[in-house]
Amino acid sequence: ALPEYFVYFGILHSIAASSLIGLLVLRLPATALAALGAAIMAASYILPSPAFNAPLLRFIGLATEPAMTVDFEPLIPWVGPFLLGLASAKWASARGLLHRLALPDTPVLRRLAWPGQHSLVIYLVHQPILIALIWVASYLSS
């Protein structure tokens, strides 16, 4: 659709990198994770610098010029909410909240859980389906 632009650090890259960062800090206490997540989000306002405008450093998220791409989800600030979610899960788990929220294993709930357990496949398949639908709609309207 936009051949002059390409994805060099999109949502899938960001999720993968955030997951690896999450593994590195997983053993930290929930309060430390929350503080780190908040600090990373604050860094997006405090630390931007022209030094990060270099193409190889843009994925960090501290550039002062906009990225010319169709899908850009930089690490900073987006690893911050990821870490806040990790902190919230640790906090809830330590207090037994996740166990209390667990639902019984039933066929209906297994079917409802399937999309969440296969989200990457759904994400990858929905793109060509949507593009095909848009193409058909534009073809029929012309």
Side-chain angles (χ1 to χ4, degrees), residues 42-130:
S44 68
Y45 293 100
I46 299 167
L47 299 177
S49 166
F52 292 101
N53 290 341
L56 290 176
L57 298 177
R58 283 191 178 274
F59 77 96
I60 296 170
L62 296 175
T64 57
E65 295 175 356
M68 301 309 288
T69 181
V70 292
D71 181 19
F72 183 56
E73 303 298 329
L75 286 178
I76 297 174
W78 298 113
V79 77
F82 178 89
L83 294 176
L84 289 174
L86 192 59
S88 298
K90 284 186 88 160
W91 181 85
S93 179
R95 285 155 182 76
L97 295 176
L98 297 181
H99 179 71
R100 284 189 267 168
L101 290 174
L103 297 171
D105 187 22
T106 67
V108 171
L109 291 177
R110 271 195 300 276
R111 281 189 206 93
L112 289 173
W114 189 89
Q117 295 167 344
H118 299 86
S119 57
L120 180 59
V121 172
I122 291 169
Y123 180 82
L124 293 174
V125 169
H126 95 281
Q127 295 286 342
I129 290 172
L130 287 177

Side-chain angles (χ1 to χ4, degrees), residues 129-139:
I129 290 172
L130 287 177
I131 290 169
L133 290 173
I134 291 169
W135 182 82
V136 167
S138 67
Y139 180 78

